[in-house]
Amino acid sequence: MDFFSILSLLGGLAMFLYGMRLMGDALKESSSGALKVAMEHVTNNPVKAFLLGLVITAII
């Protein structure tokens, strides 16, 4: 792999992660009160949030 391929891969990954963060923040803001509290409780720890993401992705 040359330098530009690696740079493109890292740039794409950064854009993907940024988009996921924006989507998560927008979902938290637009959700109802009960769902908002539940999501904040589940995602307050980065490890718990990561594991929840793995489980949801596996289910989908």
Side-chain angles (χ1 to χ4, degrees):
M1 289 184 112
D2 63 340
F3 175 73
F4 291 109
S5 295
I6 294 171
L7 188 62
S8 295
L9 177 69
L10 292 176
L13 180 63
M15 288 176 54
F16 173 74
L17 292 174
Y18 179 68
M20 291 298 289
R21 182 171 187 109
L22 283 177
M23 185 176 68
D25 291 344
L27 181 62
K28 283 181 186 177
E29 289 178 16
S30 67
S31 64
S32 67
L35 181 60
K36 188 173 185 178
V37 170
M39 283 185 62
E40 286 175 355
H41 177 70
V42 174
T43 60
N44 63 353
N45 182 351
V47 175
K48 284 174 39 179
F50 176 74
L51 292 175
L52 178 66
L54 284 177
V55 169
I56 298 298
T57 302
I59 291 171
I60 292 174

